[in-house]
Amino acid sequence: MASAPPHPDRELPGPAAPDRAPARPDRTRAAAVAAAVLTVGAGLGLRAVTAGDVAKYGGDALYTVLLLALVVVVAPRLSPARAAAIALVVSWAVEFLQLGPVPAELSRRSTLARLVLGSTFNAPDLAWYAVGAAAGWLVHSALRRARRGDPEPARAGWRRR
């Protein structure tokens, strides 16, 4: 009697699955550190050459990209989707924290606190954090596929036949 195939949600990830752990976490960490440095440089460069909404909202997206890179430094075996989700949740948490007085007070005392925590809540920032998380997820996923030599994009919930 042939057994039914396992439920797709319970299958172990195959070679093209997005949740497959990287083979070399030390290389992944090193790449994430490099990405974090590049992201900070991009953010500073953006502020140096642009102003207004481009600098502000581009900086918001890059803030989440930086958080994603830092998540990968700490936990290199996380899937790109999980790393992006964690970065997005942290970005949103920091933004909602700005509804209280603490970030504004800390920002008055420290430039670093202003860069990390911001000072005032701005609802459009929430969408730009999602843009940064999506962009970071796409890049992280593409790099992971390239390292595995898998030319086909992984699709969540899809299996190769």
Side-chain angles (χ1 to χ4, degrees):
M1 178 171 172
S3 64
H7 189 277
D9 291 340
R10 292 187 198 110
E11 284 188 340
L12 293 175
D19 288 338
R20 184 173 174 216
R24 297 188 176 135
D26 291 340
R27 286 181 64 190
T28 302
R29 271 194 186 98
V33 167
V37 170
L38 288 172
T39 302
V40 169
L44 294 173
L46 185 67
R47 288 281 182 165
V49 299
T50 63
D53 287 347
V54 172
K56 182 188 180 347
Y57 296 124
D60 288 344
L62 287 170
Y63 178 82
T64 304
V65 171
L66 174 61
L67 288 177
L68 190 152
L70 295 175
V71 166
V72 174
V73 168
V74 172
R77 294 185 188 273
L78 282 179
S79 71
R82 287 185 179 148
I86 291 168
L88 181 59
V89 167
V90 170
S91 297
W92 283 348
V94 169
E95 189 67 29
F96 283 112
L97 184 66
Q98 294 170 6
L99 289 169
V102 174
E105 180 58 34
L106 292 173
S107 292
R108 278 193 284 279
R109 297 176 187 209
S110 166
T111 301
L112 181 60
R114 186 172 63 250
L115 291 171
V116 173
L117 298 175
S119 59
T120 56
F121 178 81
N122 184 30
D125 290 353
L126 300 171
W128 287 99
Y129 295 142
V131 168
W137 170 76
L138 287 172
V139 170
H140 187 191
S141 296
L143 291 173
R144 184 177 266 190
R145 279 192 312 273
R147 188 171 62 241
R148 285 194 320 250
D150 183 7
E152 186 177 318
R155 293 180 192 101
W158 291 58
R159 292 182 290 148
R160 286 188 187 180
R161 297 188 188 250

